[in-house]
Amino acid sequence: MTIQRIYIGGWFQRTTLHLTETWDFLKNAKSNLDFPKEKLDAARDSLDIISVSREAGPLEYLLAKTNKKISYRIYEDGLIVLEKEYVSLKEDFESIKDYYDNILSKALSLIFSKGAPVPKELANIKTILPYIVTVTDATKEEVENVFKNFSEDEYSVLATKNIEVHRSPGIILINNLRDENLTREIIESQIFFREFKSQLHRYLAIHRILWEKIREIKERGSIKGSDIDSLRNELSVYQKTINLIGARIDQMPTYVKTRQKITDVQKIDDYLQPLFQFKFETLLDTHEYIKQLWGMTKNYLTSAIEIFTDLQAKSTKNTISSLQLITTIGVVAGILGYLTKDSLPTFTPIGLVYFALLMAMTWIINGLVSKFYKNKKYDIENEDIKKDIQ
């Protein structure tokens, strides 16, 4: 068995505009945004780049080579593929993953740190990136030993045209794919499809979490006036997350269609579908399902916000009405008292004490009225959407 290269990669929505920003950073440690020069220099130096070039193709990409014997391509659609020539599988796995997670990702995060923030539900997610290993002339026993040495359980084997693809959760081993260009195309497609589906799965998981949180709020039955503001603010935070992720979901089909156009149809029929079961239509169907599900989540949240907005207005109106009544009674009582007098009042020490007591009583009454309506329970009129989707 001859081990050739190790690959890993990732994908997040990007455009040719982002590619230009990345090029400026990788080539000259520059950015048009207001980043401190020392931060840009430090991030660029950490990459340990020997050379970087901007290459043309069906999709434009940057090609960077490093002193760590790792090279990578960053495509204009946001796909990143790192590769390393084989030395020792264990050391290669550790070094390429460390470079991706702790060096390259951090450097790119710096130059893209301004703009719409990543929702907190996504910010701390660590992607488990399977290593893709290309080999030639591997026997069944040699392949089994590779997975065994890393405590990986192989769960599928696909074979076509003398090419074998062995899979486990952490390793994908491709045997006897000798065409370098085709190898690269298959690996890029594998990373793109896996990352695309992985993002959709995250959005599905976030939908379930947010739906449950909203449902718990809406199905309380009744709520104290003092809790209305805090719950309304909590729903507003969820609304921000839903809007941000919704925008990301809306962008995703464009990238599938672009990848579909630049992928050779004959190669799909001969290699990609049998090997990796890549089906663009299925991917788009899955995306459409998540998009519709996200729309329902957004509508569900909007209905909850409207309920609490109405409750907030009702609570405020009740408090103001009561205070107006107390004020009116006080004013009317004062006027009636003065109607029996035949001269204007004069200031006296006792009168000042009486005035102070009156103000104190007014403050206390206002406080009691306000507390009453804060502790008053309001019924949540909830015409809930049946939770029949998952």
Side-chain angles (χ1 to χ4, degrees):
M1 175 179 71
T2 302
I3 300 176
Q4 297 170 321
R5 287 185 176 87
I6 295 88
Y7 300 81
I8 62 172
W11 173 74
F12 198 73
Q13 293 101 312
R14 290 289 181 260
T15 68
T16 185
L17 299 176
H18 297 98
L19 191 71
T20 298
E21 291 178 340
T22 306
W23 165 253
D24 289 340
F25 169 68
L26 294 181
K27 185 68 176 177
N28 302 308
K30 291 183 178 179
S31 172
N32 290 328
L33 301 177
D34 188 22
F35 292 111
K37 187 64 170 66
E38 58 273 15
K39 280 192 174 182
L40 291 172
D41 288 338
R44 171 61 171 76
D45 292 343
S46 70
L47 297 173
D48 204 8
I49 292 175
I50 299 174
S51 65
V52 58
S53 59
R54 191 163 183 167
E55 307 288 340
L59 285 177
E60 195 173 6
Y61 65 92
L62 307 180
L63 175 60
K65 298 180 180 180
T66 74
N67 282 313
K68 300 179 182 294
K69 298 182 179 179
I70 295 171
S71 62
Y72 49 92
R73 300 184 180 209
I74 302 176
Y75 290 85
E76 64 179 278
D77 67 345
L79 188 72
I80 301 176
V81 181
L82 290 79
E83 62 182 87
K84 185 180 185 305
E85 291 189 9
Y86 168 73
V87 178
S88 163
L89 274 186
K90 184 176 181 180
E91 293 178 4
D92 293 338
F93 284 0
E94 291 176 354
S95 63
I96 197 170
K97 187 175 187 301
D98 177 70
Y99 188 88
Y100 182 81
D101 286 345
N102 300 318
I103 300 176
L104 181 60
S105 293
K106 288 184 177 180
L108 295 180
S109 294
L110 171 64
I111 63 172
F112 295 128
S113 60
K114 295 188 177 183
V118 176
K120 67 178 182 179
E121 287 81 1
L122 296 176
N124 297 319
I125 291 177
K126 284 289 186 182
T127 303
I128 305 300
L129 298 170
Y131 303 98
I132 302 173
V133 182
T134 56
V135 302
T136 56
D137 303 322
T139 65
K140 181 179 179 181
E141 183 179 1
E142 287 173 328
V143 171
E144 289 176 350
N145 286 334
V146 170
F147 289 99
K148 183 179 179 181
N149 290 339
F150 291 92
S151 302
E152 290 282 332
D153 295 324
E154 183 181 348
Y155 62 77
S156 77
V157 180
L158 298 173
T160 181
K161 299 192 179 215
N162 299 320
I163 301 168
E164 300 173 351
V165 178
H166 302 259
R167 293 170 173 271
S168 75
I171 299 174
I172 298 173
L173 188 145
I174 303 175
N175 186 23
N176 288 331
L177 184 53
R178 302 174 188 275
D179 185 325
E180 183 176 347
N181 291 331
L182 182 57
T183 299
R184 189 176 302 284
E185 185 171 349
I186 288 179
I187 289 173
E188 288 173 4
S189 298
Q190 163 68 6
I191 293 171
F192 174 78
F193 273 76
R194 176 177 47 77
E195 285 291 294
F196 192 98
K197 289 187 287 186
S198 178
Q199 283 194 28
L200 292 180
H201 193 268
R202 289 177 204 155
Y203 298 151
L204 176 61
I206 294 171
H207 147 77
R208 289 170 172 163
I209 293 170
L210 293 179
W211 189 281
E212 286 302 308
K213 289 181 177 179
I214 297 167
R215 184 184 64 79
E216 289 174 5
I217 292 174
K218 290 185 69 174
E219 295 184 357
R220 288 189 173 201
S222 62
I223 183 175
K224 287 183 179 181
S226 59
D227 293 335
I228 293 176
D229 281 346
S230 62
L231 290 175
R232 173 68 175 77
N233 291 336
E234 183 178 347
L235 291 173
S236 295
V237 173
Y238 298 155
Q239 187 177 46
K240 181 180 178 180
T241 296
I242 286 175
N243 289 338
L244 285 171
I245 293 179
R248 296 294 188 190
I249 291 174
D250 289 342
Q251 295 170 352
M252 293 177 76
T254 303
Y255 297 95
V256 177
K257 293 173 183 177
T258 299
R259 284 277 164 186
Q260 187 175 17
K261 288 178 181 178
I262 67 173
T263 303
D264 188 291
V265 175
Q266 185 63 41
K267 288 180 180 177
I268 289 178
D269 293 339
D270 290 347
Y271 293 97
L272 300 185
Q273 282 187 354
L275 284 173
F276 294 112
Q277 301 174 352
F278 292 158
K279 297 179 181 179
F280 289 103
E281 294 81 6
T282 301
L283 201 62
L284 288 171
D285 289 343
T286 305
H287 169 269
E288 186 62 27
Y289 169 78
I290 295 297
K291 182 179 179 180
Q292 293 177 5
L293 197 64
W294 209 253
M296 294 182 68
T297 308
K298 186 174 183 178
N299 292 336
Y300 189 47
L301 174 64
T302 299
S303 69
I305 291 176
E306 289 174 352
I307 289 172
F308 280 89
T309 300
D310 291 342
L311 290 177
Q312 194 174 41
K314 185 177 180 180
S315 175
T316 302
K317 181 180 178 181
N318 287 339
T319 303
I320 292 174
S321 297
S322 297
L323 295 177
Q324 285 176 337
L325 178 60
I326 293 171
T327 303
T328 302
I329 291 173
V331 171
V332 170
I335 292 173
L336 290 176
Y338 287 123
L339 289 177
T340 61
K341 306 290 185 181
D342 55 5
S343 63
L344 293 174
T346 59
F347 289 100
T348 65
I350 294 177
L352 290 175
V353 172
Y354 173 77
F355 177 76
L357 290 173
L358 185 63
M359 292 297 294
M361 287 297 297
T362 303
W363 181 80
I364 292 172
I365 292 172
N366 287 345
L368 291 173
V369 170
S370 178
K371 184 175 181 180
F372 171 79
Y373 282 108
K374 283 183 178 180
N375 290 318
K376 176 181 170 61
K377 290 194 174 182
Y378 295 85
D379 292 332
I380 300 176
E381 297 178 2
N382 181 16
E383 296 180 359
D384 203 355
I385 300 173
K386 290 184 179 179
K387 187 188 170 193
D388 58 356
I389 55 175
Q390 292 295 333

